[in-house]
Amino acid sequence: MAVEWLRVMEVLFRDDICAHRDAMEFLQEIARNAWVEYDYSRRLEESLDVLKTEMQELSNRQTDIILELNAAEVVHGKKPKAEVNLWLENVEKITSAVTKTKEVYGEIGRDFSFPRVTLGKRVVKKIEEAVKLKEKGRFLEGLFADLLPESESMPTTKLVGRTTAERNLEQIWESLMDQEVRIIGVYGMGGVGKTTIMTHIFNKIQSSRIFGLAIWATVSNDFNIERLQNGIAREIGLDISYEDDEMRRSRKLFEALKRREKFVVILDDMWKSFPLEKVGIPEGNAYKIVLTTRSKNVCRGMKCQKKFEVEVLSREEAWELFKERLGADVVLSPEVKQIAKLVTEECGGLPLGIITVASAMREKDDVREWRNALEELKCSTMEIEGMDDQVFPILKFSYDRLKSERIQSCFLYCALYPEDYAFGDEELVKYWIAEGLIDNMGDWEKEQDKGHTILNGLTDVCMLVRKFDHSIVMHDLIRDLAIGITRKRPLFVVKAGMGIRGSIGVEEFTEEVEKISLMRNQIEMLSGEPNCPKLSTLLLRDNPLSGNISHEFFNRMNSLRVLHLSKAGIEYLPESVSNLENLCMLLLNRCERLREVPSLAKLKRLRFLNLLGTGIKEVPDGMECLVNLKEFQVSFAEGSTNRINVVGCNSLVLPDSIIKLNMGRCELSSLHCVSRMQHLHSCNIWGCSMKWLLAIGDNSTIIPSLPCIQYLNLMDLPNLRGLCEGVLMPGSFTCLRNLFVSSCKVLENVMSLELFQNLQCLDYINIEKCSEMEEVIKGGEEGDNNNNNNTIILLPNLRELRLRNLGKLKSFCKRVIICSLTQIYITGCLRLKKIPLSFGNSTLFVRGRIEGSKEWWDSLEWDDPNSKTLLLPLFHEEDEGRGMKRKAEQVEDIASTSQHQ
């Protein structure tokens, strides 16, 4: 600065007018720069507040993405895109830098100084980085790599009828290879095997690699353009669900598909024609379209250049299929065999009918049963409008053969969902339990077992289909059968996904109706006071309901057991809900505008309560009265900086009966009530402010804490110091199988050695992104009188260990752990000194990856040298590993520089 002022003074003493003008401009520039620097200092606190808000929103987005990634990896084996991993790394990097920035701020004063100016500039820069990261974190084209990679096939059953089916397949394939043919139609009656043939075509496309991409989209009877566009977009890793304009979605999809050189789109189960350009599918002979439909007219409407009818099976093919489904080892007596052939002929060559009837007659060897079955098939009729007289009596025969009315009711319940809807088996069993279709046995696990037994029975007889991802679907013909039955008795009203707009007529809410499904519509409001004394299930999910629901709407629904309102636009829940004393399931998840939930004190039968992603600010009154509650889930809406107001360990009172607890973004000091939960099986806590999961005082009970907990997930808990403040009673956590701890910034260790060595059921450990953690298991040092003198910990069930991005970790455990690991992953743990694992004389094949520098690997200490030999093939010295070390050193250098400015 002194040199600059000398230059100014020198110029001022010159006589040249221009020089004076230059000097004045130079002074003005200096003044402007000085003001800018002063402003950085003056507004530092304001900038820090802005940075705090931006980082909180960024952290919320990070948490949501990690939860989605973890769930998709465990359930579906999906992998994130490289850009998603890079984004998560950048979020970690900026989070670390902001933490250091806050530390520097604590060391400087409030008076103007150059350190304040420097810090002010850095804060503004970090705000800009956080805003950019938030925008990049939208991932408009999805989080995951292509759901159907070019080499991946679809699961399918083998072709039924060698002559008929293989001829159809060969003809369709020849048309695909014909450069002059763009659109191919495959038609035939329902259940004849069109979809099965096309899954084989799809797999052949994948394996041949003639086309760059094959896309499968199920259209269904309740077709709409938006859902079809979203389905195709997901297949190519494009997210257009946020677009509310059909033309913009079409344009984005068109551009994404056009970048592909060649592709095939298979549109399964079309019921009506529509313009392909309206969806966003480009024209050109390099782009092939194959559609399946029950109607030849649809093929004409879509201008198919080739049309193929899938015919029913020949008599010989039908008999071969029937015998196969009865069982390859089944030997029929001559008399039964003769009747069985006649039964097969009654199925009319329809594969779906043959499969269901054969499944119903499996293990039947009494000739009288076979004669009765034949008579029923001959005489059976179903007078249901719009249904095929030949097909449905065959399917009704299989329905009638279900073992009990209760199992039939479980089957019919599945018809409440839209066509081709895939639901999880756990979800379905919960609905059955809430509906009372499974007896209350007083034991949650037994009820679950009963539900899954019924579900397996329905899949065994082909009334439900289990897909490769373990989800459950109904064949559309089977669903039509169920809807046909429920149009009479029991009476269901099923208008799921029918495009209903505005309000719904009160004529649907009759005195006799037992179940109503209006999910996936555009219903804006529900008014009046319908009289529905028998109504037990009401599904309203995925409706705007921006006009809300009248307060008296539920007054005369005293039998209601299931109320599903997720993703509705309601701002409040009607007061009349408070009086639904038979309600067992209340689902309000992702009702982001919801602010008020009335008292739940009277809902003593409630078993499932989901408040995830709502806008409520405090848990509803009367929670302590829900003595039968098994599953409770709560969090604030995504993207909000507010949190549910639950302050102090005694202000959240929950019943002891809970089996599953999910809680996110809540202000809590601890979950004191959790220590009393003797039945809690699964606990997921994320984004909360608690210091301890459990805070056990001197006057606590003498019973063990969480003796039945199996799954514990603790994530993004910035203040967490440990699992427990206080001494746990013996028997605590002894059933724990799965432990996941992530992004707990101040956590220095996970648990004590005393607790760890008693976790004999432990199967999976994943500890990651805990920047202050120096040891996972605390204690065990030589001479430590507070610890067991045993030098060995035996964990016979431990199968998987993951330690990732733990920059300060020096020790996992100071005792030797004897286990039978089959997977181990250690990355970003460059200060770890010892891997205390012993596999004994085991010859296990261990998978995984251990990353780091060669120097780090060579310096590791081993209690069992055989372990080093076994794990050596998993060690990778890569640029990535060395890069992490350089990053850690750079962060330390930056922090050091900041503290000296």
Side-chain angles (χ1 to χ4, degrees):
M1 290 291 290
V3 174
E4 291 178 351
W5 277 106
L6 287 174
R7 286 178 55 205
V8 173
M9 297 303 295
E10 181 181 354
V11 172
L12 287 174
F13 280 104
R14 295 179 186 168
D15 294 331
D16 188 86
I17 296 175
C18 293
H20 283 289
R21 186 169 60 249
D22 291 344
M24 290 303 296
E25 291 176 354
F26 186 63
L27 280 171
Q28 290 171 354
E29 182 66 23
I30 290 176
R32 278 194 295 270
N33 291 339
W35 173 253
V36 168
E37 295 199 344
Y38 172 73
D39 200 45
Y40 277 123
S41 173
R42 181 177 65 91
R43 302 183 65 174
L44 176 56
E45 283 71 25
E46 180 183 340
S47 298
L48 283 169
D49 287 341
V50 173
L51 179 60
K52 180 181 178 181
T53 299
E54 295 294 339
M55 288 302 298
Q56 182 60 58
E57 293 179 359
L58 183 61
S59 176
N60 289 346
R61 181 60 182 147
Q62 177 194 28
T63 299
D64 293 332
I65 286 177
I66 292 175
L67 284 171
E68 187 173 350
L69 293 179
N70 288 341
E73 180 179 3
V74 172
V75 178
H76 301 297
K78 295 180 182 178
K79 298 297 181 184
K81 293 180 178 178
E83 63 177 310
V84 176
N85 286 328
L86 179 60
W87 184 86
L88 290 171
E89 289 179 12
N90 288 336
V91 172
E92 287 297 317
K93 186 175 180 180
I94 191 175
T95 302
S96 176
V98 168
T99 299
K100 299 297 182 183
T101 298
K102 292 177 181 177
E103 292 174 0
V104 173
Y105 173 72
E107 297 176 2
I108 63 176
R110 288 182 168 267
D111 296 333
F112 175 80
S113 64
F114 284 111
R116 279 182 64 89
V117 172
T118 302
L119 190 60
K121 291 179 179 178
R122 184 176 296 130
V123 170
V124 171
K125 183 179 180 181
K126 293 304 174 190
I127 291 173
E128 294 171 353
E129 291 178 10
V131 170
K132 289 179 181 178
L133 274 175
K134 271 200 314 179
E135 181 61 28
K136 288 182 178 179
R138 294 178 64 188
F139 295 112
L140 303 183
E141 296 192 358
L143 298 176
F144 307 100
D146 284 354
L147 295 180
L148 291 175
E150 295 177 7
S151 60
E152 188 172 346
S153 300
M154 287 184 68
T156 188
T157 56
K158 72 176 186 178
L159 286 177
V160 173
R162 294 185 181 88
T163 304
T164 305
E166 289 180 3
R167 182 178 64 247
N168 285 327
L169 191 150
E170 184 178 338
Q171 291 173 338
I172 296 168
W173 184 258
E174 287 176 357
S175 296
L176 274 173
M177 297 302 105
D178 188 339
Q179 294 185 359
E180 300 302 317
V181 176
R182 179 176 178 243
I183 305 178
I184 301 167
V186 180
Y187 68 97
M189 66 186 297
V192 80
K194 302 182 296 294
T195 298
T196 300
I197 289 174
M198 288 315 303
T199 56
H200 283 271
I201 291 284
F202 180 90
N203 291 344
K204 191 172 181 180
I205 293 170
Q206 296 286 52
S207 61
S208 68
R209 299 185 179 274
I210 294 174
F211 295 90
L213 176 68
I215 300 169
W216 184 287
T218 302
V219 183
S220 301
N221 191 16
D222 59 350
F223 157 80
N224 67 60
I225 292 289
E226 179 181 354
R227 192 156 67 246
L228 178 58
Q229 289 173 325
N230 289 338
I232 295 175
R234 280 194 299 271
E235 294 286 306
I236 61 175
L238 175 69
D239 182 10
I240 56 174
S241 59
Y242 63 93
E243 286 284 5
D244 56 4
D245 181 79
E246 184 181 288
M247 288 299 297
R248 281 200 295 270
R249 288 195 304 272
S250 175
R251 191 162 55 247
K252 288 180 180 293
L253 193 54
F254 177 87
E255 292 299 330
L257 287 172
K258 199 173 181 181
R259 290 195 291 268
R260 309 276 181 164
E261 291 184 6
K262 296 173 70 176
F263 64 81
V264 178
V265 178
I266 297 173
L267 301 172
D268 188 40
D269 194 21
M270 284 186 58
W271 287 70
K272 58 186 176 182
S273 57
F274 55 84
L276 291 171
E277 61 272 15
K278 193 173 183 180
V279 177
I281 299 175
E283 294 185 5
N285 288 342
Y287 313 138
K288 305 285 186 177
I289 311 297
V290 187
L291 60 94
T292 72
T293 177
R294 298 184 192 179
S295 170
K296 192 174 182 179
N297 288 332
V298 172
C299 295
R300 294 192 186 104
M302 296 299 293
K303 300 178 182 178
C304 295
Q305 293 139 301
K306 291 283 187 178
K307 308 177 192 70
F308 300 99
E309 181 180 6
V310 179
E311 298 176 346
V312 297
L313 302 180
S314 68
R315 180 178 294 183
E316 294 76 16
E317 291 169 339
W319 176 237
E320 289 300 318
L321 175 60
F322 193 88
K323 287 192 299 181
E324 177 189 313
R325 288 304 171 125
L326 277 179
D329 56 345
V330 172
V331 178
L332 301 176
S333 69
E335 190 176 6
V336 169
K337 183 176 180 180
Q338 184 179 1
I339 300 171
K341 284 188 174 183
L342 295 175
V343 167
T344 305
E345 289 181 15
E346 288 297 322
C347 296
L350 185 71
L352 179 63
I354 294 168
I355 289 169
T356 57
V357 171
S359 299
M361 296 303 294
R362 195 180 298 152
E363 298 181 0
K364 307 288 187 185
D365 55 8
D366 190 327
V367 67
R368 288 168 294 192
E369 288 191 69
W370 281 94
R371 283 200 300 263
N372 180 65
L374 177 59
E375 188 64 23
E376 286 190 15
L377 282 168
K378 284 181 177 180
C379 300
S380 179
T381 59
M382 283 197 70
E383 298 177 359
I384 299 175
E385 183 181 352
M387 295 190 179
D388 192 308
D389 292 339
Q390 294 179 332
V391 175
F392 284 89
I394 302 169
L395 303 182
K396 177 65 161 53
F397 173 87
S398 300
Y399 168 79
D400 290 338
R401 288 298 176 281
L402 294 177
K403 292 181 179 179
S404 67
E405 288 187 10
R406 180 163 296 191
I407 294 175
Q408 289 177 339
S409 297
C410 289
F411 162 74
L412 294 176
Y413 200 89
C414 302
L416 294 170
Y417 295 95
E419 187 175 330
D420 297 311
Y421 184 92
F423 34 82
D425 51 4
E426 297 287 345
E427 171 191 354
L428 185 57
V429 169
K430 287 176 187 175
Y431 279 106
W432 290 346
I433 291 173
E435 254 286 343
L437 298 177
I438 297 172
D439 290 332
N440 189 338
M441 303 176 182
D443 186 310
W444 174 251
E445 190 170 350
K446 289 180 180 178
E447 293 171 14
Q448 292 275 309
D449 292 345
K450 182 65 175 178
H452 284 280
T453 300
I454 293 174
L455 182 56
N456 291 337
L458 288 170
T459 58
D460 286 345
V461 296
C462 303
M463 301 301 282
L464 298 175
V465 178
R466 193 182 297 276
K467 298 178 69 177
F468 68 99
D469 61 355
H470 305 296
S471 62
I472 307 296
V473 295
M474 293 184 90
H475 189 285
D476 49 3
L477 273 182
I478 300 288
R479 179 176 181 270
D480 290 345
L481 167 73
I483 288 178
I485 293 170
T486 57
R487 282 177 181 161
K488 296 183 177 180
R489 187 174 182 181
L491 179 60
F492 291 11
V493 172
V494 182
K495 295 193 174 182
M498 299 297 288
I500 302 171
R501 294 183 176 275
S503 59
I504 187 76
V506 292
E507 64 273 8
E508 307 292 357
F509 293 85
T510 66
E511 291 187 25
E512 297 300 317
V513 69
E514 296 184 26
K515 294 173 179 57
I516 298 178
S517 175
L518 299 170
M519 59 188 289
R520 286 190 176 179
N521 284 295
Q522 296 296 316
I523 299 171
E524 294 289 343
M525 66 180 299
L526 294 170
S527 58
E529 189 178 350
N531 183 21
C532 302
K534 295 182 180 179
L535 185 65
S536 61
T537 287
L538 179 56
L539 305 183
L540 292 165
R541 59 169 294 184
D542 292 293
N543 278 287
L545 288 174
S546 55
N548 285 308
I549 306 173
S550 61
H551 276 294
E552 64 276 6
F553 188 80
F554 298 102
N555 277 346
R556 296 198 282 178
M557 298 183 183
N558 297 329
S559 298
L560 198 63
R561 299 175 68 98
V562 175
L563 178 56
H564 196 167
L565 275 163
S566 68
K567 291 194 284 186
I570 54 175
E571 295 181 354
Y572 59 82
L573 198 62
E575 293 289 341
S576 50
V577 169
S578 294
N579 297 317
L580 296 175
E581 296 185 6
N582 287 304
L583 198 65
C584 296
M585 175 180 282
L586 178 58
L587 305 182
L588 300 166
N589 44 305
R590 298 181 67 181
C591 294
E592 297 181 1
R593 299 176 63 211
L594 181 64
R595 298 291 182 269
E596 298 177 25
V597 175
S599 173
L600 305 180
K602 293 183 180 179
L603 310 189
K604 291 181 169 41
R605 295 189 179 182
L606 196 65
R607 306 190 81 184
F608 307 96
L609 176 60
N610 193 328
L611 300 173
L612 285 175
T614 63
I616 64 172
K617 294 186 178 179
E618 56 185 21
V619 294
D621 289 337
M623 289 294 299
E624 69 279 7
C625 300
L626 306 182
V627 293
N628 286 299
L629 192 65
K630 299 298 181 187
E631 184 172 303
F632 178 48
Q633 305 185 68
V634 61
S635 74
F636 203 80
E638 176 184 344
S640 173
T641 57
N642 294 324
R643 292 166 178 260
I644 297 173
N645 182 24
V646 186
V647 182
C649 61
N650 293 318
S651 61
L652 178 61
V653 182
L654 298 175
D656 301 344
S657 58
I658 292 179
I659 300 290
K660 182 176 181 179
L661 175 65
N662 287 356
M663 184 172 293
R665 303 190 186 111
C666 306
E667 294 286 355
L668 295 161
S669 59
S670 74
L671 279 178
H672 179 72
C673 56
V674 170
S675 63
R676 304 189 313 272
M677 294 182 180
Q678 297 294 292
H679 307 289
L680 191 65
H681 176 276
S682 173
C683 181
N684 299 296
I685 310 292
W686 71 95
C688 296
S689 60
M690 64 183 65
K691 293 182 179 180
W692 307 95
L693 177 65
L694 308 175
I696 299 177
D698 294 336
N699 296 323
S700 63
T701 63
I702 59 172
I703 60 174
S705 298
L706 302 180
C708 294
I709 190 78
Q710 293 188 30
Y711 301 92
L712 180 59
N713 185 337
L714 304 174
M715 183 173 171
D716 191 23
L717 305 176
N719 302 320
L720 188 70
R721 297 174 60 187
L723 289 184
C724 175
E725 183 184 33
V727 178
L728 288 169
M729 294 301 297
S732 300
F733 289 92
T734 49
C735 291
L736 187 65
R737 291 175 50 195
N738 189 308
L739 176 64
F740 181 86
V741 180
S742 175
S743 302
C744 297
K745 306 298 184 184
V746 301
L747 187 63
E748 296 180 359
N749 60 77
V750 177
M751 67 180 74
S752 68
L753 180 65
E754 291 90 342
L755 175 58
F756 183 64
Q757 62 191 3
N758 291 321
L759 304 184
Q760 295 296 294
C761 296
L762 201 60
D763 172 82
Y764 173 91
I765 302 175
N766 189 338
I767 315 294
E768 63 180 37
K769 300 176 183 176
C770 297
S771 54
E772 295 299 316
M773 186 171 292
E774 296 189 6
E775 55 183 350
V776 176
I777 308 302
K778 181 181 180 181
E781 295 86 353
E782 291 185 10
D784 188 347
N785 294 326
N786 294 323
N787 290 298
N788 193 305
N789 292 326
N790 292 333
T791 59
I792 293 175
I793 296 176
L794 180 62
L795 297 178
N797 294 300
L798 186 60
R799 296 289 181 267
E800 186 168 348
L801 174 64
R802 293 174 180 256
L803 304 173
R804 298 188 286 196
N805 297 336
L806 304 170
K808 291 188 177 181
L809 185 68
K810 297 178 183 178
S811 167
F812 175 75
C813 180
K814 294 183 175 65
R815 298 289 172 85
V816 181
I817 302 170
I818 298 179
C819 58
S820 300
L821 280 184
T822 56
Q823 291 190 60
I824 182 170
Y825 294 85
I826 300 177
T827 61
C829 301
L830 298 174
R831 296 184 182 179
L832 186 63
K833 297 178 180 179
K834 179 189 289 189
I835 297 182
L837 301 176
S838 175
F839 300 91
N841 297 321
S842 173
T843 57
L844 287 172
F845 175 71
V846 183
R847 296 184 293 128
R849 187 179 184 91
I850 300 176
E851 293 180 358
S853 66
K854 183 67 163 55
E855 295 79 9
W856 171 76
W857 174 262
D858 291 340
S859 67
L860 279 173
E861 300 174 14
W862 301 86
D863 291 294
D864 183 350
N866 291 330
S867 298
K868 182 175 183 179
T869 303
L870 186 65
L871 299 180
L872 180 58
L874 307 183
F875 173 66
H876 293 266
E877 184 191 18
E878 293 184 342
D879 290 339
E880 183 180 356
R882 291 193 291 270
M884 284 190 287
K885 183 176 181 180
R886 287 197 300 271
K887 285 182 182 178
E889 293 170 348
Q890 289 170 1
V891 169
E892 290 179 356
D893 290 341
I894 292 171
S896 177
T897 303
S898 300
Q899 291 172 354
H900 287 87
Q901 285 184 340

